[in-house]
Amino acid sequence: AGEEDARVRETAAQELIGVLKKEGEVEELAALAKQLRPLFVLLPKARTAKIVRTLLDAVGALDGPFDMQVKLCEDTIAWCREEKRTFLRQRVEGKLAALYLSNERYSDALAIINELLREVKRLDDKAHLLEIQIVESRIYHALRNMPKARAALTSARTTANAIYVPPALQAEIDMQAGIVSAEEKDYKTGYSYFFEAFEGLMALDDPRAVLNLKYMLLCKVMTQNAEDVSSIVAGKIALKYSGPQVEAMQAVAVAYSRRSLSEFEAALAKYKAELSDDLIVHSHLTVLYDTLLEQNLLRLIEPFSCVEISHIAALIKLPLETVEPKLSQMILDKRLNGILDQGNGCLVVLEDVPLAATYNSSLTVLQNMDKVVDSLFETASALR
C-alpha cells in the first residue's frame, strides 16, 4: 500500500508540474520545489531526482528570471547536501553551471565545472561526466580558449565511446564539434558535424535543429560557396525550417555573392538578433566583413596612383574613420603597396616592381662577406 501511495503521489506531482508549465506559472513552479520536499522523503532517490530535474527543466523552458532560476538551483543544492543526496546535487550543480554559461558568468560556471569534474571522475558516472565535459568545452569556447575547448570536446567524445549516448546528447556533441572546427577555420569539417547534428535534432523535432541549419549555411558562405546556400534552403528538408534564421543567412550569402558591403550591412541591421547577437555567427561574419571590405577597397583603388582618402570613403559609402584605419592595416599587412600621406589626406599607391635578379645576388654576396669578416676576426683574436 505504501509503494502504491508513493507512486500515486509521484504521478500527481509530475502532472501538477505539467499543468503549471502549460499555464506558464513560473513562480508557482519555483514555490512547488519546496512544497514537495516532504513527499521526497517518502519516495526512492531515483524518483525524487526525476521530479526535481523535471521541475528545473520546466522553469528553464518557461524562461524564468535568471535570479529565480539560480536561487532555485542553490536552494535545491543546499537541500541535497542536508539530505546527503550526492548524485542529485551533482546534476543540479551541472544545471547551475549551464545556467551561468547562458548568462555569460563564465568564471562562476568554470568554478562549478572544475569541482564537478573531480567528483564525478571519482564516482565513474560516465553519463553525467559526458554532460559536464560538453558544458566545459562550451565555456572555454565562450572564453576564446580554443585549445582547452578542443581538449574538453575530445574528452567528451572519448567518454561517449564507452557508453550509450541518447540521440539528443549525441547531436549536442556534434554541434559543439562543428562550432570548434569552424573556429579553427576548418569549415568543411564543421559543415559535416553541423549536418549530423541537424539530422539528429530534426528526427527529435528539437528546435535547435534550425540553429544547426543556420551554421551549415554559414560554413558554405565562409568556404566561398555562397551559391550553394539557395539550393540547400530550397531542399525539401530545409523548407520545414524557413524563417528569420535561414532568411538571415540567405541575405548574407546574396550580399557576399554580389560583393556588396551595403547589402551586407543591411542584412546585419535587419537580422540583428539572428546574426550580431549570435556570438558564434558574429565572430565569423566579422572576418567575412573585413574580407569583403578589403576586396572592395582594392577594386576601387586599382585605377589610381594617388587618391584622396575621403574620395575612396565616398565611393565605398563608409565613414572616413572606418576607411583610413583599414587602409593603414592593409599596408602594414602587405595587402596593399602604398603609403598614407596624412598631411594631404591622400593614399599614394606604389607600383609592384619585381625585384631585379642582382638584388638577391647582392644580398647573398653581403651575407657571405659578413661570414668571412667574422671568420677573420675570430682567427685574429686567436693569434693574440
Side-chain angles (χ1 to χ4, degrees):
E3 174 66 25
E4 183 62 30
D5 182 51
R7 189 177 289 112
V8 170
R9 286 168 184 260
E10 180 196 351
T11 306
Q14 292 279 16
E15 287 180 358
L16 179 58
I17 292 168
V19 169
L20 290 173
K21 181 182 176 183
K22 192 175 180 181
E23 295 293 323
E25 299 287 348
V26 181
E27 291 182 3
E28 291 292 326
L29 278 167
L32 189 64
K34 286 185 179 178
Q35 294 166 7
L36 288 175
R37 282 176 190 172
L39 170 65
F40 295 157
V41 178
L42 305 173
L43 293 175
K45 288 184 177 180
R47 289 183 184 176
T48 300
K50 185 180 178 183
I51 294 172
V52 170
R53 289 169 67 188
T54 304
L55 185 60
L56 292 173
D57 288 343
V59 174
L62 293 173
D63 291 328
F66 172 69
D67 291 338
M68 180 194 288
Q69 291 190 60
V70 169
K71 182 77 167 59
L72 180 58
C73 287
E74 287 175 344
D75 287 347
T76 307
I77 290 165
W79 178 79
C80 290
R81 289 186 191 279
E82 287 173 15
E83 297 292 322
K84 294 183 172 57
R85 302 200 177 206
T86 306
F87 284 98
L88 178 57
R89 173 181 60 78
Q90 290 171 346
R91 294 281 178 177
V92 179
E93 283 179 340
K95 176 84 176 173
L96 180 59
L99 195 59
Y100 281 143
L101 170 62
S102 65
N103 281 269
E104 300 181 9
R105 287 176 57 176
Y106 305 127
S107 56
D108 292 331
L110 203 54
I112 294 172
I113 287 296
N114 288 337
E115 184 58 35
L116 265 180
L117 280 169
R118 280 193 289 273
E119 286 187 34
V120 176
K121 280 177 182 176
R122 281 202 306 268
L123 295 170
D124 201 32
D125 181 0
K126 284 191 165 57
H128 191 205
L129 179 61
L130 175 58
E131 292 176 16
I132 295 166
Q133 286 167 333
I134 294 170
V135 174
E136 183 191 18
S137 179
R138 288 170 58 203
I139 293 169
Y140 280 123
H141 169 259
L143 291 169
R144 316 304 297 166
N145 189 336
M146 296 317 298
K148 286 194 174 182
R150 167 63 72 183
L153 178 64
T154 304
S155 299
R157 295 174 76 178
T158 304
T159 305
N161 288 336
I163 58 170
Y164 166 73
V165 181
L169 195 56
Q170 182 59 53
E172 208 171 320
I173 295 169
D174 289 333
M175 184 175 178
Q176 184 61 20
I179 290 168
V180 172
S181 295
E183 287 290 349
E184 293 173 345
K185 311 300 181 194
D186 187 358
Y187 294 109
K188 287 186 178 178
T189 305
Y191 180 88
S192 302
Y193 281 125
F194 287 134
F195 184 73
E196 291 290 331
F198 173 67
E199 285 195 320
L201 294 170
M202 184 178 64
L204 298 168
D205 205 21
D206 192 303
R208 289 175 297 173
V210 72
L211 279 178
N212 283 277
L213 177 59
K214 179 169 77 168
Y215 299 151
M216 284 163 58
L217 301 179
L218 174 68
C219 289
K220 284 293 182 185
V221 175
M222 295 306 292
T223 51
Q224 300 183 0
N225 292 310
E227 63 281 356
D228 292 350
V229 169
S230 55
S231 58
I232 293 170
V233 171
K236 187 178 176 183
I237 297 170
L239 283 172
K240 179 183 175 184
Y241 296 98
S242 59
Q245 301 280 11
V246 174
E247 287 168 10
M249 287 314 304
Q250 278 184 291
V252 168
V254 169
Y256 186 74
S257 297
R258 294 176 181 171
R259 299 287 188 269
S260 171
L261 272 175
S262 57
E263 287 184 29
F264 195 93
E265 287 183 327
L268 290 177
K270 185 178 178 182
Y271 299 103
K272 185 177 181 294
E274 292 78 16
L275 299 175
S276 299
D277 293 348
D278 185 329
L279 295 178
I280 295 162
V281 172
H282 179 69
S283 63
H284 296 291
L285 290 188
T286 302
V287 175
L288 196 66
Y289 179 81
D290 277 349
T291 305
L292 206 54
L293 176 57
E294 197 172 287
Q295 289 173 349
N296 275 266
L297 284 171
L298 288 171
R299 181 169 54 82
L300 291 172
I301 291 164
E302 197 174 1
F304 302 102
S305 58
C306 181
V307 59
E308 288 185 355
I309 301 169
S310 57
H311 181 61
I312 299 170
L315 288 174
I316 205 167
K317 297 176 184 175
L318 285 174
L320 185 64
E321 297 77 24
T322 304
V323 174
E324 191 170 347
K326 184 61 185 174
L327 289 171
S328 176
Q329 184 191 341
M330 288 166 66
I331 292 168
L332 290 171
D333 292 344
K334 298 187 177 177
R335 303 285 179 85
L336 172 64
N337 188 11
I339 54 170
L340 286 176
D341 182 354
Q342 289 183 312
N344 296 315
C346 293
L347 168 70
V348 179
V349 183
L350 305 175
E351 287 186 23
D352 291 324
V353 181
L355 293 172
T358 52
Y359 178 81
N360 286 328
S361 301
S362 302
L363 277 178
T364 306
V365 169
L366 288 170
Q367 286 166 357
N368 290 334
M369 285 294 292
D370 184 49
K371 289 176 186 175
V372 169
V373 171
D374 286 345
S375 178
L376 289 171
F377 179 77
E378 286 172 11
T379 307
S381 299
L383 291 173
R384 287 177 193 169

